[in-house]
Amino acid sequence: MLRKKLFLFLFTAVFFSCAQSKDPVEKKIDELLSRMTLQEKIGQMNQLTGTGLSGDMISQIKSGKVGSILNELDIKTTNELQRVAVKESRLGIPVVFARDVIHGFKTIFPIPLGQAATWNPQLVESGARVAALEATAAGIRWTFAPMIDIARDPRWGRIAESCGEDPYLTSQMGVAMIKGFQGEKLSDPTSMAACAKHFAGYGATESGKDYNTTWIPEVQLRDVYLPPFKAAVDAGVSSFMCSFNDINGVPSSGNEFLNRQVLRKEWNYSGLLVSDWASIEQMIKHGVCTDLSAATQKAIKAGVDMDMMSYAYINHAEALVKSGSLAEKQIDEAVRNILRMKFRLGLFENPYIEEPTEMPYYSVDALLKAKQTAIESTILLKNENNLLPLTDAVKSVAVLGPLSDAPADQLGTWCFDAESSHSVTPLAAIKTMLGSSAQVIAEKGLTYSRDMNAEGIARAVDAAKKAEVILLFVGEEAVLSGEAHCRADICLPGAQPELITALKKTGKPIVMVVMAGRPLTIGKQLEEANAVLYAFHGGTMAGPALADLIFGKAVPSGKLPVTLPRMAGQIPIYYSHKMTGRPAENIVTINNIPVGAGQTSLGNTSYHLDAGDSPLFPFGFGLSYTTFKYSDVKVSKNILSLGQTINVSCTITNTGKYDGAEVAQLYTRDVVGSLARPVRELKGFQKINLKAGEAATVNFTLTPDQLSFWNADMVKLTEPGDFQVWISADSQCGKPGTFKFI
Ligand code: GLC
């Protein structure tokens, strides 16, 4: 018996090692690596920002000291630098050119938080494909996107780049972007390597202040922050990027648990891991490394393959290997991952970029997809007396507010290659749409979102008095969100609140459109406006999209990818919270406490006196011009066991007079667990189009694995017990079905 087992073991080992060596890319890597000097290997691990055809860059490339260049955008320069690498360096290894193409290259799509609000992965994938077609034409073959950090703190500026608060929705959106960027075949010249970032836990940054420390218990790290990254691995993402933050005191650029135990051992990831900009060097600032040599050693030991702009590896790795502090096989490992991506990109066969006569920017198809994405990313929060959509009975509108005609700000953050001259603003789009059929009176009032100028408010009020309806575009300048642009207070900036209050006094109906990079606390403005559309920053085609929605050529279908808090003091506030031992009830709010009341404990439950317990709007919320009725929720069985599945279905009827799209959301709750479980968790969604009066049945299949979580022993499993399940229009409404898992 033992002999048989031994034979089987040996056969398997030989088979698999042959299988690996049979992979043509692995064979090419083996062959190339065998010819590389230690210096050339370390050169591949060095990523520099572009400095054009500077002598220093050319000489470094020639001596094989540069593996990748980011932010080089001139095609002729890119091709010349590549020529030096391929023709003049000893081994001719091509350089990979990279850029942050986050939500479009030239044609700008809504910020990722807005794209997540579409709950339409296919549409989001098509947008990423547009970005790849445009960016690769400019020589970019590696984008540092998607950003799939779970973000539950709207004070954090980078929530704009995220897909919101939920692991499942973020996973779906991240995978869609990866597919769009990487295309069918990575070696296709119109494909670019995607990069799952920032690994990991960056969105948990304390107080919503960027680059801040995070404290994330492992169970939460694995249940909440890691799933989108695992989904990215399963989707074949070409690279990962470290996050700047530390997790429980360990900076990600030096985190062996994260980068070796989880990413390599548990997930068997074979892609490239690049640091963030100078994040290796920043381990000195973090106070975990004494100097750059120590940081180099820590990062390489932690499996960071490529050094973005710390100049650490290129200056210290060789000495560390020669002193025995690092083994050359650790360098080889990193270089393998880098070469693997370059081979898969086809750079050795096709290192150069074709210099087209006309750049494929702003195609009709691209603009249409950008517009459709902006339409579907807009969330209708309020529509008093069905004010919207406006009909052609309206003969005069006042188009007001600092975002009504702000071509650069509507693009949002992280779009360095955008050209705001191509933006179509709401004012321009409304003028085009109405033509001579109605009067358009334009007055920004406030010239930019932080403007405190009261005189402008008076002008806006005068304009409002001349019109039947006010179309008010408020929100944030693009610079108020994005990296390092965090806000402690997330109200409408400047004198915008005063502007809205002054317009309210005119008695004219107000359609308020919010264009921002984050959730804002708009409770008072919500009361003052008659209809509210939340559009985030909608990109190049934000104007035409909003015009179509306001005048009924499109029907809102967006759903919140993130909770809208009433007050910043409620943060963190998210739908998949724990029940606590005293869930909110008998809420007595601050203005209802009798003067002179004794020091009682009031409701004895979990809420804020001045905010209550609920958000302004919950995750998954969004209205339409039509209405949808959910009925006949059916759970296919009462008992679910391992190896089985359970079907959950319901009928959705369009009970209104407009055709529309609804996002049916599937939530579950593990009622009793070895750890307290969230009150709801998103497990699926379907976006369906229904004509007025039409009904359809949506079906979901649940598996036991989808109900699993990481327990206190760091084991992921589904525990026996009672479960609740919803198919609902948002994360708070609907009646649950029930079943047992045994
Ligand atoms: C930035 C960002 C990262 C980006 C990189 C390159 O600091 O943190 O998301 O990809 O540097 O621009």
Side-chain angles (χ1 to χ4, degrees), residues 608-659:
H608 292 105
L609 290 179
D610 48 358
D613 170 60
S614 63
L616 190 63
F617 290 99
F619 172 85
F621 180 86
L623 299 174
S624 172
Y625 293 155
T626 189
T627 48
F628 297 99
K629 183 174 74 128
Y630 287 61
S631 58
D632 306 330
V633 176
K634 291 195 178 76
V635 182
S636 63
K637 55 181 77 164
N638 297 325
I639 306 285
L640 174 67
S641 56
L642 273 181
Q644 290 186 340
T645 60
I646 198 163
N647 187 288
V648 190
S649 64
C650 85
T651 301
I652 299 176
T653 307
N654 179 340
T655 48
K657 61 180 186 167
Y658 292 93
D659 298 351

Side-chain angles (χ1 to χ4, degrees), residues 243-320:
S243 60
F244 284 123
N245 57 290
D246 70 271
I247 298 177
N248 313 344
V250 183
S252 299
S253 302
N255 194 323
E256 291 190 51
F257 166 73
L258 209 51
N259 302 333
R260 289 204 180 278
Q261 169 59 30
V262 175
L263 184 60
R264 302 295 182 184
K265 286 208 181 79
E266 292 179 24
W267 296 353
N268 195 26
Y269 183 58
S270 62
L272 184 162
L273 174 62
V274 63
S275 77
D276 201 336
W277 187 289
S279 65
I280 292 170
E281 180 191 23
Q282 285 159 19
M283 287 200 283
I284 301 167
K285 285 266 183 19
H286 273 287
V288 297
C289 294
T290 49
D291 57 27
L292 203 51
S293 175
T296 299
Q297 182 177 9
K298 190 174 185 66
I300 291 176
K301 275 187 71 189
V304 182
D305 301 318
M306 186 175 272
D307 165 11
M308 182 197 289
M309 290 303 288
S310 284
Y311 306 100
Y313 290 3
I314 200 69
N315 290 317
H316 296 279
E318 183 179 353
L320 288 165

Side-chain angles (χ1 to χ4, degrees), residues 107 130 134 360-371 541:
T107 304
V130 166
E134 293 188 351
Y361 301 153
Y362 308 112
S363 69
V364 170
D365 175 64
L367 294 172
L368 282 174
K369 282 171 178 162
K371 177 181 170 184
M541 298 297 279

Side-chain angles (χ1 to χ4, degrees), residues 674-686:
S674 58
L675 296 175
R677 305 304 305 141
V679 294
R680 281 202 206 193
E681 292 176 280
L682 183 71
K683 299 295 180 186
F685 59 86
Q686 289 178 35

Side-chain angles (χ1 to χ4, degrees), residues 70-71 100 102 144 158 161 197-198 202 211 241 244 276-277 308 414 416 483:
L70 70 155
N71 304 332
D100 293 280
I102 310 296
F144 300 128
R158 302 199 79 163
E161 297 172 68
K197 73 181 188 183
H198 306 79
Y202 191 9
Y211 317 119
M241 181 186 288
F244 284 123
D276 201 336
W277 187 289
M308 182 197 289
W414 275 113
F416 297 136
E483 182 176 352

